Amino acid sequence: MPRVVSVFLPDLPTERIRRADPSIPAEQPIAVIARSGSKRWVSAADAAARKAGVRVGMPAAKAQALFRGLMLEDANQAADAMALERITLWALTQYSPIVAVDAPDGIVMDTEGADHLQGGEEIMVTGIANRFRAKGLTARIAIADTWGAAHACARAIQRETVIVPPGETVRAVEQLPIHLLRLPEKIVIDLRTLGFKSIAELSATPRAPLTLRFGPEIGRRLDQMYGRLAEPIDPIRSAELIEVSRAFVEPIGAAETIDKYVGRLVVQLIAELQRKGLGVRRLDLIVEKVDGVRQAIRAGTAKPVRDVAWLTKLLRDRTEKIEPGFGIEKLSLVAIMTQPLEEEQRASSLIEEDTTDITPLIDVFGNRGQRVYRLAPVASDVPERSIQRIAAATLPTEESWVHHWPRPVRLLHKPDPIDAIALMPDRPPVSITWRGKRRKITRADGPERVFGEWWKRDSELEAVRDYFVVEDDRGQRFWVFRSGDGIDLETGSHRWFLHGIFA
Amino acid sequence: MAHSGANTVITQLRERISHLEGGRSRRAQTLPFGVTEIDEHLPGGGLHFGALHELAGGGAGTVDGAAAALFAAGIAARTKGKVIWCLTRPDLFFPALAQAGLHPDRVIFVEADREEDVLASMEEALSFGGLGAVVAELVRLPMTASRRLQLAAEKTGAMGLVVRRWRRQTEASDFGQPTASSTRWRVSVLPSEVLPVPGVGRARWFLELMRVKAGECAEFEVGACDAAGRISLSTGFADREDQAGRSVHSR
C-alpha cells in the first residue's frame, strides 16, 4: 500500500515574488493580478493582503480601492510553474524517489519505504513543514493512503500537517467539500447546483445517473481517492540526473533475476558516473510492474561512492522488499544526488595503516533506518548537555571529556525524584529511597557543584546542583544531586534526585 | 597456548586439528586481561578474538547492567580499531566510558527500535571485518542467533561482546539458557575499596566466569576498569594511583 504525501503551497505566487526580491518588507501586502479577456482580477493574495480584505477572485480595481498601499504584480504562470518544478526537484533529492508536480499549486510524493529514513511519518511530515517554512514558503502537508485523499486533506486543513492513518481514508475525506475531488470546475458547479455538498453524499449516489449526466470523471476520481483504482505517480526527472534502465520483454519476478539485473545496472551506472567524475550520494531503484504500479527503493550513502560492491550490497539489502506482483517490466537506477569524486592517491602499502574505512557499514545501518551516530563532547558542566550526537562519518575530533570526578555509566533520561535524609547544607544523604526501596548510604563523595548556565536561560541564573557519589551498604553506587545549594531557596528547590548509576 | 601448561603432544594435536578445520587458528588470537589469575583460566590466555562473549550484571545490576557495560567498554578499549555499539535504550553516559579508556572517536552507536534489529546490526558489523569489537545490549539471545553471531565473528576475527540487560529482575533467569558464546561472565558490584579517609574508593566487582569453552568456571574479586580499561585483582587496600582521573588535584 503506498503512502502519499501531498504538499499544498497556497501562497506560491506571492511567495515567489517575495523570494525573488528579498528587499520587500514583510508587512507589505502583495496581490497578483491575472487577466482573462478584458477582466482583471486578483488571482493570489498574501496573508497581509488578505487581512486587509483582498480576496482571490475580486476585481483588481476593487482590491486597489480597498487598500492603497497594495503592491500589484502581474500573474506569471510560467514563472510559477518553474518555481514549482524547482521545488519538486529539490524534494526529489530530499524525501522520496517518486515525486511529481501536482499542478498548479502543490507537489505529491510517494513515501512508501522512504519515511523510515527520516525517522517515521510524523517526524518526516513536520520536518517537511519546517523546511518549507525556513525557505519562506507556506505549506499544508497531508499524508494518506492515496493521492486523492492526501490532495484533498492538504487543501482542507487549517493547520500545517495532517496524518491520515492507513485504512482511515473514508473517514478522513467523507465530510470534505466536492471541489477537492480534482474535478473540472464545470462539473463542480453543476454538482453544486444539484445540491451535492460533501464527498460522502456524492459517493452514496448511484453511479449510473451521474455517469450519464457528467461522464466517467466523477466515478474515476472517487475510486482513485478511495484507493479502488490505482493512480501511479509519474516521477519528475531532470536532464542532469544520471539514469540507467532496463526494460524486459518478458516480465521478470524471481528474486535472483531481480538481483542479477540490479547488479548489471549498478555496473552501468558506475561507468556513467566514472565518465563524469561523480560519486553517488543517493540512489533510487525504480521498479515498474506490469499492472502500472511503481515501487521505489532508495539508498543513501554517507559520502560519495563509486564502488560496485558497496552499492550492490546497499540495494540487495532491500530488494527482498520488492513485491513483483504480476511481473516487473522495467528496472531503472537513478543517481538522484551526486557529488564530485576525484580519484586520489592512497598511501603505498609500505607505510600501511590498518584503519578500515567503515563508511559502507554505516550506510548499511542507515539504510535500514537505524540511527547511526557518534558522541562528542560539548563544553557544558550540566551532565545531560555535555554530550551531542554527531554524524558517524565525521572526521575524528580527538576531543574527549575531561572530568576529575567519576561519571556514572547509565544516566537516567530525566533525574528521578528520591527521598533522602541528609544534613543541610553540604552533607551527603545518609539514606535514600529510590523506586520504593530504601538504601542505607555507607560511603559518599561530594559535593560537586554544577552551576546553571545563565547565558542559556534566565531561569538558570542562580540554579545550582550539588552532586554526590553515594554507595549503599550492598555496594551499589549512585549519582544523586540536591537541587539548590542547601542554604538559599533561590538556587533550587532543595529536593533530591537520582541521576545516574555507577558500575 | 604454549603457556597453558598442557602436554606438548596435545598442543601438537590441537594445531593439527585446527589446521584441518581450515585456517581458523591463524585468527585465534586472544586479548589477555593482564591479570595472571584470570588469564590462566582462559584457554589461550585471554578473551578470544573472533568469538562471542556474554556479559551480564549480577544481583541488583541486572536491569541497568551498568557494571557489565563498563566491563565491556574496558575490554573494547583495549582492542584496536573501531567499536560498534548496538543498542535500543540510549542511556549510556559516554564520559564514564571515556574514563575507562574508550575514546569517543572510536565508538559508533547504532540505535534501533527493536531487539531483532540489534541482532541484525551486530551480525552485520561482525561480518564486516576490520573492527576491534562489536558490542550489543540485548535482552534475549536465542541459541540460533548466538550461533550466527559466533560464526560471523569467527569469519572476520572481530570480538563480539553481548551485554545482557533485562527489563525486569525476573527475566535474568534467561541467562541460564545455553548459547553458543565462548565465555559468559557475570559482574556484580561489591562495596568499594576501603579508604583511609571517608569517601568512595575504587569500585570493586565480583566477577564470575560462569562458562568458558574448554575451560573451568572461576570467580574473582576485581577492581573496576581503570583509565586504560584494565581491571586488577582486588587487593582490598586503597590504591588510588590508577583510578580514572580521580586524584588529579591531589597529586
Side-chain angles (χ1 to χ4, degrees), chain A residues 368 370 409-410 443 445 471, chain B residues 64 93 121 124 192 246:
Chain A
R368 286 188 188 163
Q370 288 162 20
V409 178
R410 303 275 181 204
R443 286 167 210 165
D445 259 345
E471 184 179 300
Chain B
D64 53 73
F93 192 48
S121 308
E124 190 74 44
S192 61
R246 177 67 179 71

Side-chain angles (χ1 to χ4, degrees), chain A residues 313 356 358 368 370-374 389 397-398 401 404-405 407-411 443-445 471 477, chain B residues 64 91-94 96 99 105 107-111 113 117 121 124 130 137 190-192 199 245-246:
Chain A
K313 161 103 180 97
T356 323
I358 63 158
R368 286 188 188 163
Q370 288 162 20
R371 297 171 284 283
V372 191
Y373 54 89
R374 252 182 24 218
R389 289 183 177 191
T397 52
E398 302 287 333
W401 290 267
H404 305 311
W405 289 84
R407 287 286 180 253
V409 178
R410 303 275 181 204
L411 191 76
R443 286 167 210 165
D445 259 345
E471 184 179 300
R477 287 167 280 271
Chain B
D64 53 73
D91 58 354
L92 216 54
F93 192 48
F94 206 89
Q99 283 175 344
D105 279 346
V107 185
I108 290 157
F109 286 95
V110 183
E111 187 187 321
D113 293 325
D117 293 337
S121 308
E124 190 74 44
E137 291 183 14
L190 286 179
S192 61
R246 177 67 179 71

Side-chain angles (χ1 to χ4, degrees), chain A residues 358-411:
Chain A
I358 63 158
T359 354
L361 190 59
I362 295 171
D363 290 343
V364 169
F365 293 143
N367 284 305
R368 286 188 188 163
Q370 288 162 20
R371 297 171 284 283
V372 191
Y373 54 89
R374 252 182 24 218
L375 295 175
V378 181
S380 170
D381 280 338
V382 183
E384 54 267 45
R385 287 187 205 142
S386 66
I387 280 187
Q388 61 174 346
R389 289 183 177 191
I390 56 172
T394 37
L395 293 171
T397 52
E398 302 287 333
E399 280 176 74
S400 189
W401 290 267
V402 273
H403 286 304
H404 305 311
W405 289 84
R407 287 286 180 253
V409 178
R410 303 275 181 204
L411 191 76

Side-chain angles (χ1 to χ4, degrees), chain B residues 29-34 39 42 44-49 74-80 159:
Chain B
Q29 294 160 333
T30 56
L31 180 76
F33 280 102
D39 287 340
L42 298 166
L47 285 179
H48 274 279
F49 282 102
I75 296 170
R78 288 182 288 119
T79 60
K80 283 203 176 57
M159 187 185 282

